Amino acid sequence: MTLKTRLLTLTSLLTVAATIFTASPAMAATIETGHLDVLDVDYNATNNTLTLDLKTYEPDNDDLSPAGTVLRVVPAATATIPSGTAWQCLGPAGTSMYVAPQTLVSDRLYAGWNTADVPASQGPVKLELTAWTGPPGSRFALYTTAGFPATPSFKLNTNTATGCPVSVWPGGIASGTHAHGNWAFSTAGTYTLTFRATAQNGAGATSGAVTYTFQAG
């Protein structure tokens, strides 16, 4: 092979590679285990704004943009809906949901929320689920449990049954909060959840609409 032929071949390969890398979208990062604050609300006093992002702890303590990140609730992370009226807004008793649990489990997503960087003068934070998508007939709920036997307290819920929908976090999230709950998805598939955070005191700073992507199953 002559030098000219080699150069032409190399040029062709570089052109193909450039086309591939230019045309292909960036691969999304997927997080499916470990401690993560899904709703990380921070206040910037300089320009009076709130930001809504993801806070990671391992391997780095860092803020991530929800864009380009998929939060996965693995197939093994299922729970059966208990019987009793307290649970009826989660779904039919005896059926299962994919749940990122409120307590730490090593091979599951341990998902929470965080307003530690919101001063008391700005809180509490009004948190709204402004839009969502999921597989046909699916439901999403974020709830905490306490007591024995455990009873749920729904923070957000897309169940359309009477008395069940919750699109605005009851009472807001107090400043300085770091807590965890159960993130439940009724059906395997991809969900998008769009949130907005607003400071209820001060000048009413807002994050605007921020969309997160979850994969159940």
Side-chain angles (χ1 to χ4, degrees):
M1 182 182 291
T2 66
L3 178 60
K4 181 178 180 180
T5 302
R6 290 177 180 173
L7 290 173
L8 287 172
T9 301
L10 178 60
T11 300
S12 297
L13 291 172
L14 290 174
T15 300
V16 170
T19 301
I20 292 172
F21 284 107
T22 301
S24 300
M27 294 295 289
T30 299
I31 302 174
E32 58 183 38
T33 61
H35 185 182
L36 177 77
D37 292 335
V38 176
L39 301 170
D40 178 40
V41 186
D42 298 322
Y43 176 70
N44 186 324
T46 302
N47 54 15
N48 187 46
T49 57
L50 288 184
T51 56
L52 188 55
D53 54 32
L54 298 159
K55 182 177 179 62
T56 62
Y57 293 86
E58 297 177 357
D60 299 310
N61 189 326
D62 198 9
D63 289 340
L64 297 178
S65 169
T69 303
V70 176
L71 305 176
R72 188 181 183 210
V73 184
V74 296
T78 58
T80 301
I81 299 175
S83 59
T85 56
W87 294 94
Q88 63 187 7
C89 283
L90 192 57
T95 61
S96 63
M97 297 185 77
Y98 296 90
V99 181
Q102 178 176 327
T103 55
L104 178 62
V105 180
S106 61
D107 60 348
R108 312 286 164 87
L109 191 65
Y110 181 45
W113 50 92
N114 193 322
T115 57
D117 291 331
V118 178
S121 61
Q122 300 296 322
V125 174
K126 179 181 180 181
L127 196 287
E128 303 169 83
L129 178 63
T130 62
W132 77 284
T133 65
S138 62
R139 304 180 309 279
F140 158 72
L142 172 55
Y143 64 97
T144 58
T145 55
F148 184 82
T151 56
S153 174
F154 291 98
K155 308 306 181 184
L156 299 166
N157 198 342
T158 66
N159 190 337
T160 57
T162 301
C164 294
V166 183
S167 60
V168 180
W169 195 290
I173 305 175
S175 301
T177 296
H178 178 202
H180 288 258
N182 302 283
W183 300 69
F185 302 86
S186 64
T187 306
T190 301
Y191 296 73
T192 63
L193 306 175
T194 301
F195 300 99
R196 180 172 58 229
T198 305
Q200 294 186 272
N201 284 314
T206 180
S207 67
V210 181
T211 299
Y212 294 73
T213 300
F214 285 81
Q215 178 68 38

